[in-house]
Amino acid sequence: MSVKSLATGNRSFSLLAGNTPEHHVLLAETTVGAGGTASVTFSNIDQSYQHLQIRMLVRTARAGQTLDAIKWYANSDTTDSNYNNHDLYGNGTSAGSAYNAGTNIFASFIGYCPATNATASIFGAIVFDLLDYTNTSKYKVSRSLNGYDLNGSGTVSLDSVLWRSTNAITSLQIAPIYGTGFVQYTTVQLYGVR
Amino acid sequence: MAYTLIATQTLLNPTYGVTFSNIPQTFKDLYIEISGTNSSDGQNVYAQLNGDTGANYSYTRITGNGTAAASSRSTGGTYLVLSDFGTTVNSSKINIMQYANTNVYKTVLENGGIASYRVTAYVNLWRSTAAVTSVYLFSASGNLATGTLKLWGVS
């Protein structure tokens, strides 16, 4: 679906978690090796695209748990109070919603994933879009579709995150909220969308 | 271009199911768009990977029907469960993540819905590390009546 700007007449494209395939360009990717990694950071992000899309298959090293959660930070701003999250989730039994702000560690939450005690080989999937990431007149918003299923437990959710900054996003850090890092075979791809 | 159109199937006649086979193994993810109708209202689209009819599938979903949100799951299923289709046009967007990676079970993210019925999001798991070489999409009841199914590779 194309979207025409009333202000400029320019056409762009709707992105919701996979829309508009024709205009995506792979900018960078990370595949985590045997030693794991604490976080994934994309630096010097090309400023010539309209939006960013990040596609992830993730699992963390959070000890003693089946579940972990993932967050993003822009431009090395790790102050949680600069972010807000709205979460709509379904855990297989009930649906719920949460608002995370202030110093809540879920303020920049984008999705759930399995952790150490989950069945081996199961990873969580997150597809999220960062809209108008170079626009210095707007705060930045991400939206994600994410989930994991463990054949008896799991969660699927939709999340939005607001980063209250008008700075263009030039770097992006993705990290576990609880775990010490991502495990082997975790993959993260960064796409620019024209 | 990161998304490459692999195949398109346009429904010229109502059909129970559609198969994408001999899927190239050179991409990172698969992305399928379905836009169309079903001959019977409010029927899920199901899918099987690599012709696997065993009890190796499970899902967790969230639904909203305009009155309330709900969530449910299925374990030990014999197919992936995806969004509903009906007699009015609706769409489904399916992400099969790391489909060629033989180190991971396959996780499938999907969202879609019928405007007159409900909106849904699913996460499905196929408990197999096999690379996905074929996808069979079929109707829970009735036939896929009209529309187009497109398979993309994400590189």
Side-chain angles (χ1 to χ4, degrees):
Chain A
M1 179 182 73
S2 65
V3 178
K4 185 175 182 179
S5 167
L6 295 176
T8 66
N10 293 336
R11 285 194 176 276
S12 60
F13 292 85
S14 171
L15 288 173
L16 183 58
N19 257 354
T20 64
E22 300 91 341
H23 295 80
H24 290 60
V25 175
L26 179 66
L27 301 180
E29 62 180 316
T30 294
T31 299
V32 177
T37 188
S39 64
V40 172
T41 300
F42 296 116
S43 303
N44 302 313
I45 295 173
D46 191 317
Q47 299 292 292
S48 63
Y49 294 90
Q50 190 121 27
H51 312 292
L52 299 175
Q53 184 174 90
I54 296 88
R55 304 177 62 91
M56 310 169 57
L57 193 68
V58 292
R59 180 180 172 112
T60 80
R62 184 185 185 192
Q65 301 290 329
T66 59
L67 168 67
D68 203 347
I70 308 299
K71 62 186 175 183
W72 66 263
Y73 291 130
N75 297 4
S76 301
D77 180 1
T78 58
T79 302
D80 287 325
S81 60
N82 290 332
Y83 298 82
N84 306 80
N85 160 277
H86 276 92
D87 179 37
L88 172 65
Y89 63 88
N91 60 15
T93 303
S94 62
S97 182
Y99 173 57
N100 301 297
T103 58
N104 190 312
I105 59 174
F106 276 76
S108 60
F109 165 76
I110 52 168
Y112 298 99
C113 73
T116 302
N117 283 10
T119 302
S121 303
I122 299 179
F123 287 64
I126 302 172
V127 179
F128 76 99
D129 302 323
L130 269 167
L131 306 174
D132 249 350
Y133 70 107
T134 64
N135 191 319
T136 55
S137 299
K138 299 176 181 176
Y139 287 173
K140 305 303 180 295
V141 175
S142 74
R143 57 183 178 185
S144 75
L145 169 65
N146 63 87
Y148 73 100
D149 186 277
L150 300 179
N151 190 36
S153 64
T155 299
V156 60
S157 67
L158 299 164
D159 288 272
S160 65
V161 171
L162 173 69
W163 179 44
R164 295 191 310 284
S165 170
T166 57
N167 291 334
I169 295 176
T170 57
S171 71
L172 182 66
Q173 180 187 15
I174 299 166
I177 287 180
Y178 295 112
T180 56
F182 296 117
V183 302
Q184 187 180 23
Y185 306 125
T186 290
T187 57
V188 186
Q189 291 103 41
L190 172 68
Y191 296 90
V193 184
R194 295 193 189 281
Chain B
M1 186 183 301
Y3 283 64
T4 302
L5 183 62
I6 298 172
T8 299
Q9 300 211 31
T10 301
L11 299 175
L12 301 177
N13 297 295
T15 183
Y16 179 63
V18 168
T19 300
F20 292 108
S21 56
N22 300 315
I23 296 172
Q25 299 295 296
T26 53
F27 301 100
K28 303 179 192 309
D29 303 329
L30 296 177
Y31 174 67
I32 300 171
E33 283 185 339
I34 308 173
S35 178
T37 64
N38 194 293
S39 61
S40 182
D41 217 7
Q43 300 299 325
N44 291 98
V45 170
Y46 295 157
Q48 289 172 330
L49 306 178
N50 294 4
D52 181 9
T53 58
N56 298 314
Y57 303 86
S58 56
Y59 73 80
T60 302
R61 72 179 175 187
I62 186 168
T63 62
N65 63 5
T67 303
S71 181
S72 60
R73 71 162 40 88
S74 173
T75 61
T78 56
Y79 41 74
L80 303 173
V81 178
L82 306 167
S83 287
D84 317 281
F85 274 70
T87 53
T88 55
V89 174
N90 63 300
S91 65
S92 168
K93 302 173 187 309
I94 306 162
N95 296 274
I96 305 176
M97 310 298 286
Q98 295 290 313
Y99 73 105
N101 188 333
T102 57
N103 296 301
V104 300
Y105 288 173
K106 304 305 177 290
T107 293
V108 180
L109 276 179
E110 190 263 1
N111 68 296
I114 303 174
S116 60
Y117 179 33
R118 64 183 182 180
V119 63
T120 57
Y122 284 79
V123 57
N124 276 264
L125 176 71
W126 181 43
R127 295 190 308 284
S128 171
T129 57
V132 176
T133 58
S134 70
V135 179
Y136 174 48
L137 297 146
F138 57 103
S139 176
S141 180
N143 287 313
L144 304 175
T146 64
T148 303
L149 301 91
K150 292 184 177 182
L151 171 67
W152 304 76
V154 184
S155 57

